[in-house]
Amino acid sequence: MNRDIFKIVLMLLMVLDHITFFISPYLADFFHIITRVVAVGFAYLVVEGLHYTHSRKDYLIRLCGWGLFMAVGNFLMNLFVLRKQFAMSIIGDNIFLTLALGAAMIWLWDNQQSNGKKNRNLKILSIVILVLGSLPILEGSFIILPVMLITQLTHNDVKKRNFWYLGLAVLMAAIELPMALSIPNPTPLMIFDSIAMNASDMFFILIIPLLHFYNGKVGQYNSQLKYLFYAFYPLHLWVIHLIANFQ
């Protein structure tokens, strides 16, 4: 897959993760597991984009700008349109803010060794962003930020990248699985449901086979589709919540 196709695949999977209002709970659980690749897939592309962009500053401003746009949109939707049960989190339902924070972390990490000099303060600041940003406040930040740092540190070394991704998945499983499997007198469906809702983050590891299908090349329509994700992400969420609100 080139970059265009990779983004479209991620966007299609993204829709599957957000249509829980309209499908059975167990099908929603299944979709929730297989779509754990979406956020980390776009996080991977952001790190890759930081390597090839002409201006990291403009890249970061663009992510922050779209994050602000979506935050305002979520606020207005909640204020004037959506009922309480369909309300959107202003910060929590906004992947742009998480990706912007990760991009800032990567930029600081790289700059700590610019001009042949090490700047310890920038390195410490990037680690602080990683630690504080990994708290479950922003959407997926506790998994996206570590994935972005691993992707940056193992750039051009697929084996190391996969090894550290796997290590992170094992850590997430060790944290999440005990809680998911603590159900008294569980049935297979109850276990499946609990894993899908409480321990699904470890399934981000499914991004590895997907990345092996990605060739890293710019697609034929890259310039025309440049802003497709930026627009599609908030619009598809708003449309889904609107339909659910009025059904």
Side-chain angles (χ1 to χ4, degrees):
M1 300 182 292
N2 60 36
R3 195 174 306 168
D4 290 346
I5 296 174
F6 189 31
K7 288 180 179 179
I8 290 171
V9 168
L10 292 175
M11 286 189 288
L12 291 175
L13 288 172
M14 186 195 308
V15 174
L16 293 181
D17 190 37
H18 294 145
I19 58 174
T20 55
F21 300 119
F22 316 114
I23 58 178
S24 73
Y26 294 114
L27 184 58
D29 287 343
F30 174 71
F31 286 164
H32 192 66
I33 288 175
I34 66 172
T35 56
R36 294 310 86 202
V37 302
V38 175
V40 294
F42 280 112
Y44 179 91
L45 289 174
V46 167
V47 176
E48 189 177 64
L50 289 171
H51 281 272
Y52 300 113
T53 185
H54 296 297
S55 172
R56 288 188 168 188
K57 178 182 177 181
D58 290 346
Y59 199 122
L60 185 56
I61 291 173
R62 184 162 64 246
L63 286 171
C64 291
W66 279 92
L68 179 61
F69 167 74
M70 188 165 186
V72 172
N74 290 354
F75 174 75
L76 293 176
M77 290 274 286
N78 292 342
L79 186 62
F80 296 112
V81 182
L82 300 178
R83 288 175 283 166
K84 186 175 181 180
Q85 61 268 40
F86 300 111
M88 302 177 67
S89 170
I90 296 173
I91 296 178
D93 291 320
N94 194 335
I95 197 67
F96 294 127
L97 297 179
T98 311
L99 295 176
L101 190 63
M105 175 187 68
I106 298 300
W107 194 4
L108 289 170
W109 184 275
D110 281 357
N111 286 346
Q112 51 116 1
Q113 296 195 59
S114 60
N115 300 322
K117 298 180 181 179
K118 291 189 177 182
N119 189 324
R120 185 180 177 186
N121 291 335
L122 290 182
K123 186 173 184 179
I124 291 173
L125 183 56
S126 64
I127 294 173
V128 169
I129 290 176
L130 173 66
V131 173
L132 296 181
S134 295
L135 298 175
I137 300 173
L138 297 177
E139 182 176 1
S141 57
F142 50 89
I143 193 73
I144 291 175
L145 295 187
V147 164
M148 291 182 76
L149 185 59
I150 290 172
T151 303
Q152 172 66 13
L153 295 179
T154 61
H155 190 249
N156 292 329
D157 192 330
V158 174
K159 289 183 178 179
K160 277 189 177 180
R161 181 198 71 198
N162 292 350
F163 174 80
W164 285 106
Y165 280 2
L166 182 60
L168 180 59
V170 170
L171 175 63
M172 296 304 297
I175 295 171
E176 297 176 332
L177 275 178
M179 178 175 61
L181 299 177
S182 62
I183 311 169
N185 303 316
T187 65
L189 283 178
M190 289 171 63
I191 293 174
F192 173 67
D193 180 59
S194 186
I195 289 176
M197 298 310 298
N198 299 307
S200 60
D201 293 306
M202 63 183 180
F203 290 103
F204 88 88
I205 198 65
L206 296 175
I207 193 64
I208 288 180
L210 195 59
L211 287 177
H212 281 283
F213 285 102
Y214 171 53
N215 59 24
K217 297 180 180 179
V218 176
Q220 181 180 356
Y221 303 102
N222 184 66
S223 58
Q224 295 92 325
L225 298 177
K226 183 177 180 179
Y227 292 99
L228 178 62
F229 164 66
Y230 292 103
F232 181 83
Y233 174 68
L235 288 177
H236 95 281
L237 273 178
W238 293 340
V239 168
I240 288 173
H241 279 259
L242 281 172
I243 294 172
N245 187 69
F246 293 112
Q247 70 177 352

